[in-house]
Amino acid sequence: MVNMWTKLRKITFWILIYQLILQENAVSSEETPGCDSIVRPTNGSLYLPVKPRGSSTSLSLALTICAIILVFIVLVANGFNLIRKYIYEDKDNLDTDFDAGGRVSSGLTATTIVSQWTWAATLLQSSAVAANNGISGPFWYAAGATIPLLMFATLSVQMKTRAPGAKTFLQVIQARFGSRPHLVFCFFALLTNVIVTAMLMLGGCAVLTTLVQGLSLELAAVTLVTVIGACTFIGGLGATFYMSYFNTTIVFVVMFIFLIKVYHEGEGDQERNPLGSIERVYELVSCSEGPEGNHARSYLTFLSSDSIMFGIINIVGNFGTVFVDQSYWQSSVAAKPREGMWGFLAAGLVWFSIPFTFATTMGMGYIALGTYYGEPLLSNAEVSAGLVPPAVAQSLMGKAGETLMVLMILMAVTSTGSAEVMAITSIIVYDLYQIHLKPFRRLTDSNCCILCGKSRGRMANRRDQCECSSMTDCIACTQDDKAISECNRTVKPNFKCKHHGNYRTYLNILRDKRDWCIVWVAMAIIPLTLLFDIIQVSLEFVYYFMGVLVGSSVFPIILSMFWARLTGKAIMYGAILGCLAGIFSWLLSASILNKEFNMSKFITNSAGNEFEISMLIANCVAIFSGAAITIIMSFVTKRHISEFETAETWEKTRDIDNPLSPWPELYIREFHITEMKLVYNRPSLEQMMTEFKKTNIIAFIVGSTTTILMIVFWPAVMTAIDIMSQSQFKQWIHLSDVWSFTAGIFIIATPLFMEIYSIVTQFKHKNARVRVHAAPEHELNNIMRSVSPQVKTNPAGQLEQFNV
């Protein structure tokens, strides 16, 4: 304890020393030239360019870009299907549509998370926060949304070790607590997906209709939905993984172009580019008057009450956005625990650079351009609608900037939209249709086999025990697959396997339902977008209010993965009452602050800070009341739990499985499983926890440490600077440059190399299996060793086991 106190005093001492140095640098900073000398002259003797307004991108060009993207998506989706069919040989599996085979690499997981988390609102709203609050806005936006991703890594490991066969987090709730809590959280999950979809469509349509001549809201919505639906329908989740890579690459490349244009092009013709250097931007921004909540009304300070309030709201709201959104759980399901953990941690650190750098570039560029032109480029309503990046791109690059923004927004909307459509579809198929509407077999216990209805494993009676085998070792299923593949007719022959045939037919019905769900969900986005436009809800309000609606369900979901004592009633009442408490606190606080009950004022960010304060209160009440109610009710309704009950709780979640391809088949290498004949042959929970203990510890340490650094130490150090000097501003921009370029190189190169390696490795295993059937006995061992170093032979040189 004494050593810890000594270390803490040393850390505090060095922080104080660093603050004094920063303050000294601020005092001795370069003198800023007079504002009159850097603002564009307005007298009639000099040429006065018109401030960029309106749209110049033609409708035909925008539709051509969409058509090219659509064709590219079709090619990528078909390429994915060919890889799964001829390399992995699992294209016709329903689960592959939702988990991409369950073996996605950490690099591809990272790029998918980055792409899914890069909403249109990420690019638009982060820049709006920077335009309103200054240099601290991009940091708080990036930090507040990065923290949930980092913390989700721990939750991902927990689900993959305690419910490896689950395809949705809702299946875990169903297995533990039954139908009523399951339906309640289905509602919250679908509500989250609807709100996220509405946000990305509102932002995307606002930008497109602003930049493209003659493009109506209806046509913009139809165009975006067509691109989203094509990507999702053709390739399923796997195609969205591949598309996410290209989306992320394009977002980074376009961001680098704007970064260079604003800060590093060089000061040349100011009429063509009024910015071009860090010094020029600093001079213009330092001559701008910031909001009242900022220290000395400067845009170059971290001492901003509005930014701090936004940061808290952002953190609370984004926990609900990530933890309750099924699309992020799908990315977790698609990878093994270790790969998923590294994927989420890498994604968080990479994604931080996007809003941090992009908003610092476009937001500060917007402020500087407003000073140069003598008036803001946009009205307050247009800023709230997220039109800051298009305005800056149009001002600096003209038609080329508009085209880049159209491409960037299309990529962001396509990736996130496809993930949301797949998330809604997976909930409808796995959690509503398969469990409640038309189950294959209604079971009273999750331990019962869905194929035969008999008990499995630990609770089975020897006289009446399930003896169903996996489809992998079924000769009849192999013959069925061969007959179907050789049939050239439209109507394929029925499955003849007596054990698996009926269930495979049922899964084919589910695949048909999946296809129709994708179509109807995608089409439903169009009226949803029009509805939000009719009621005139701003992107800013939807972003702030989301945490009020879904924040109460965050802690119940977290506890359902960790706490065996948790009860169904507790999570139900915690989520519902927490949501109602958040809404009530919002209405009450907004009424008190505005001194009247006026909904139009409650949903509008006016000149004062009443909007932010009421949202801050509501978000905090929602998430913390949901946690408190859940924990208190669990203690009240379940006063004691035995070790047997604890063990049985997690065995229920481990019983979630597809008997045709049991989840232990994914862990053959980790646990050296040599006998996969019976579906209930699986590693124990203790084995799973031991195998991935290090993974769990790394996820917790990295997530919690980075969280503390981002929301405590980093802001604390920056508050030592009253107002940034030019040298400090230059260092800040260089930090964002280094972070973004490093993240961009990593996220472009790593997934590509890892996916190529995975495909080549799988191809070698496939060829080895083919050669085994034809090879003489004396060549068999050499073939096995060339594919897997874990092959063992007995003293006679004969093969003992082959781990693939």
Side-chain angles (χ1 to χ4, degrees):
M1 192 67 182
V2 176
N3 292 334
M4 290 180 62
W5 176 247
T6 304
K7 291 180 180 179
L8 184 60
R9 286 195 300 174
K10 289 182 179 179
I11 293 173
T12 306
F13 171 77
W14 285 112
I15 289 177
L16 291 174
I17 294 296
Y18 183 65
Q19 289 178 342
L20 291 174
I21 294 172
L22 292 176
Q23 288 177 346
E24 184 178 352
N25 289 338
V27 172
S28 61
S29 63
E30 304 90 333
E31 290 293 331
T32 302
C35 292
D36 293 338
S37 64
I38 63 174
V39 176
R40 176 179 54 79
T42 58
N43 56 48
S45 62
L46 295 176
Y47 173 69
L48 182 62
V50 179
K51 183 175 63 173
R53 279 290 191 185
S55 55
S56 60
T57 302
S58 64
L59 180 59
S60 58
L61 176 60
L63 294 178
T64 302
I65 294 174
C66 291
I68 294 173
I69 293 174
L70 186 60
V71 172
F72 182 69
I73 287 173
V74 172
L75 293 176
V76 171
N78 281 290
F80 166 79
N81 288 337
L82 292 175
I83 290 173
R84 301 309 304 188
K85 181 178 181 179
Y86 293 106
I87 304 298
Y88 293 93
E89 299 177 328
D90 58 3
K91 186 256 178 184
D92 290 328
N93 191 339
L94 174 70
D95 287 349
T96 304
D97 296 335
F98 294 102
D99 66 3
R103 298 181 179 91
V104 176
S105 65
S106 57
L108 203 57
T109 300
T111 192
T112 303
I113 296 299
V114 170
S115 183
Q116 289 178 4
W117 202 215
T118 307
W119 304 348
T122 299
L123 306 172
L124 305 177
Q125 189 63 27
S126 61
S127 299
V129 174
N132 288 329
N133 301 329
I135 195 71
S136 62
F139 169 79
W140 282 113
Y141 189 103
T146 298
I147 289 169
L149 285 183
L150 298 174
M151 299 305 293
F152 191 86
T154 303
L155 207 59
S156 172
V157 176
Q158 285 296 314
M159 180 176 176
K160 290 297 291 183
T161 52
R162 293 183 171 178
K167 304 304 176 189
T168 70
F169 75 94
L170 298 165
Q171 289 180 313
V172 177
I173 294 176
Q174 164 69 22
R176 288 196 59 181
F177 308 113
S179 296
R180 288 186 179 180
H182 178 251
L183 290 173
V184 168
F185 280 85
C186 282
F187 168 78
F188 279 102
L190 291 173
L191 178 64
T192 303
N193 295 133
V194 168
I195 296 174
V196 171
T197 304
M199 277 196 290
L200 73 94
M201 290 298 294
L202 281 174
C205 290
V207 172
L208 294 179
T209 53
T210 300
L211 295 180
V212 180
Q213 293 177 350
L215 182 64
S216 63
L217 177 69
E218 295 80 5
L219 181 57
V222 171
T223 303
L224 291 175
V225 167
T226 301
V227 177
I228 291 170
C231 178
T232 313
F233 183 82
I234 296 173
L237 182 65
T240 64
F241 272 88
Y242 280 21
M243 274 305 303
S244 294
Y245 171 78
F246 294 103
N247 292 344
T248 304
T249 301
I250 291 174
V251 167
F252 268 97
V253 170
V254 175
M255 182 177 72
F256 293 154
I257 293 174
F258 288 134
L259 176 66
I260 293 171
K261 191 71 178 179
V262 172
Y263 289 119
H264 304 293
E265 188 181 46
E267 295 186 33
D269 183 5
Q270 291 190 2
E271 300 298 345
R272 185 178 60 85
N273 182 4
L275 308 180
S277 69
I278 300 175
E279 294 80 2
R280 178 68 176 172
V281 173
Y282 176 83
E283 291 168 359
L284 289 168
V285 172
S286 62
C287 290
S288 303
E289 186 178 54
E292 295 181 359
N294 286 18
H295 174 72
R297 301 201 68 170
S298 171
Y299 283 112
L300 298 167
T301 181
F302 256 72
L303 299 173
S304 171
S305 59
D306 292 340
S307 292
I308 294 174
M309 277 194 294
F310 172 80
I312 298 173
I313 296 171
N314 199 33
I315 294 170
V316 174
N318 281 311
F319 267 105
T321 306
V322 174
F323 285 39
V324 193
D325 191 339
Q326 169 58 24
S327 64
Y328 300 97
W329 293 93
Q330 279 180 179
S331 298
S332 172
V333 166
K336 292 183 179 181
R338 195 173 288 110
E339 287 76 8
M341 179 271 295
W342 286 118
F344 274 96
L345 293 179
L349 297 176
V350 169
W351 183 88
F352 178 90
S353 67
I354 295 178
F356 181 55
T357 302
F358 186 79
T360 301
T361 301
M362 307 304 274
M364 303 306 287
Y366 172 83
I367 298 170
L369 288 172
T371 303
Y372 177 76
Y373 286 113
E375 61 175 327
L377 299 181
L378 302 170
S379 65
N380 291 335
E382 289 173 326
V383 171
S384 297
L387 299 181
V388 169
V392 176
Q394 185 187 55
S395 178
L396 296 180
M397 300 179 67
K399 190 174 182 178
E402 293 179 358
T403 304
L404 288 174
M405 278 305 307
V406 169
L407 180 62
M408 197 178 198
I409 293 300
L410 280 173
M411 291 293 98
V413 172
T414 300
S415 179
T416 309
S418 299
E420 295 303 315
V421 170
M422 284 303 299
I424 296 173
T425 302
S426 66
I427 293 173
I428 294 174
V429 171
Y430 279 111
D431 292 284
L432 296 179
Y433 191 89
Q434 194 173 19
I435 294 178
H436 297 286
L437 298 179
K438 291 283 184 70
F440 177 76
R441 186 190 300 273
R442 293 195 179 274
L443 302 174
T444 57
D445 186 0
S446 61
N447 184 247
C448 295
C449 175
I450 197 171
L451 295 178
C452 62
K454 298 179 181 179
S455 296
R456 300 174 294 178
R458 68 190 187 282
M459 299 180 67
N461 189 319
R462 291 185 178 180
R463 298 179 180 179
D464 188 29
Q465 186 177 25
C466 168
E467 296 183 355
C468 296
S469 61
S470 167
M471 189 179 69
T472 305
D473 298 318
C474 181
I475 298 176
C477 286
T478 303
Q479 294 174 347
D480 285 340
D481 292 336
K482 183 178 180 180
I484 292 173
S485 63
E486 293 176 352
C487 178
N488 296 322
R489 299 177 181 177
T490 304
V491 180
K492 301 297 182 181
N494 296 326
F495 297 108
K496 297 180 180 180
C497 177
K498 296 181 180 180
H499 296 289
H500 307 110
N502 291 336
Y503 190 66
R504 294 187 71 183
T505 302
Y506 174 75
L507 292 185
N508 280 347
I509 295 174
L510 289 185
R511 291 198 70 187
D512 293 337
K513 302 296 181 185
R514 183 216 73 143
D515 294 340
W516 280 107
C517 280
I518 291 175
V519 172
W520 287 111
V521 169
M523 291 178 62
I525 296 175
I526 299 174
L528 175 69
T529 306
L530 300 179
L531 175 63
F532 273 77
D533 180 69
I534 291 171
I535 61 179
Q536 292 296 303
V537 176
S538 69
L539 180 65
E540 185 179 31
F541 170 77
V542 178
Y543 186 85
Y544 276 78
F545 196 64
M546 185 173 182
V548 180
L549 294 177
V550 302
S552 60
S553 54
V554 170
F555 275 97
I557 292 173
I558 294 174
L559 294 175
S560 68
M561 302 294 169
F562 285 90
W563 197 24
R565 190 170 177 176
L566 190 66
T567 64
K569 288 184 178 180
I571 64 172
M572 280 179 57
Y573 287 112
I576 295 173
L577 295 180
C579 177
L580 295 177
I583 296 174
F584 177 77
S585 63
W586 167 60
L587 295 174
L588 179 61
S589 59
S591 300
I592 295 173
L593 292 170
N594 289 281
K595 299 180 181 179
E596 62 175 324
F597 189 87
N598 189 335
M599 289 298 296
S600 62
K601 289 186 177 181
F602 294 174
I603 64 175
T604 305
N605 191 357
S606 57
N609 58 1
E610 294 85 2
F611 177 81
E612 289 87 352
I613 295 176
S614 62
M615 285 296 178
L616 174 63
I617 294 172
N619 274 270
C620 292
V621 168
I623 192 169
F624 292 118
S625 63
I629 294 171
T630 301
I631 295 172
I632 293 172
M633 284 201 65
S634 294
F635 279 115
V636 172
T637 55
K638 184 177 282 189
R639 297 181 180 274
H640 176 71
I641 182 171
S642 63
E643 292 185 5
F644 174 79
E645 290 175 316
T646 300
E648 187 60 26
T649 295
W650 303 122
E651 289 302 325
K652 289 179 181 179
T653 61
R654 283 158 45 81
D655 286 335
I656 305 170
D657 205 358
N658 180 355
L660 300 185
S661 53
W663 61 261
E665 291 183 355
L666 295 175
Y667 298 94
I668 290 176
R669 291 184 180 181
E670 283 84 351
F671 299 101
H672 308 292
I673 301 172
T674 58
E675 177 59 57
M676 283 301 305
K677 183 176 181 181
L678 300 179
V679 297
Y680 53 79
N681 284 351
R682 66 190 188 192
S684 65
L685 178 61
E686 290 72 20
Q687 286 177 301
M688 292 287 288
M689 299 298 288
T690 301
E691 175 68 22
F692 299 108
K693 181 179 180 181
K694 184 178 179 180
T695 303
N696 210 348
I697 293 173
I698 292 174
F700 178 77
I701 292 176
V702 174
S704 56
T705 302
T706 310
T707 297
I708 294 173
L709 289 174
M710 283 189 174
I711 66 175
V712 179
F713 285 101
W714 193 343
V717 170
M718 294 306 300
T719 54
I721 306 173
D722 290 340
I723 298 174
M724 284 187 180
S725 65
Q726 189 177 105
S727 61
Q728 291 164 349
F729 181 73
K730 186 180 294 186
Q731 292 170 6
W732 185 261
I733 300 302
H734 287 162
L735 172 64
S736 71
D737 290 350
V738 172
W739 197 315
S740 60
F741 276 99
T742 303
I745 294 171
F746 171 84
I747 207 64
I748 292 172
T750 304
L752 182 63
F753 292 144
M754 295 186 74
E755 188 64 13
I756 291 175
Y757 175 79
S758 176
I759 292 173
V760 171
T761 303
Q762 180 65 25
F763 184 74
K764 289 181 178 180
H765 282 298
K766 179 187 174 184
N767 285 345
R769 289 198 301 269
V770 173
R771 284 187 288 163
V772 163
H773 294 290
E777 185 176 353
H778 69 275
E779 295 181 6
L780 185 57
N781 292 339
N782 293 332
I783 295 175
M784 298 306 183
R785 290 193 185 95
S786 67
V787 179
S788 176
Q790 295 179 340
V791 173
K792 297 179 180 179
T793 55
N794 58 26
Q798 296 174 334
L799 179 70
E800 286 188 354
Q801 71 177 43
F802 177 34
N803 292 321
V804 237

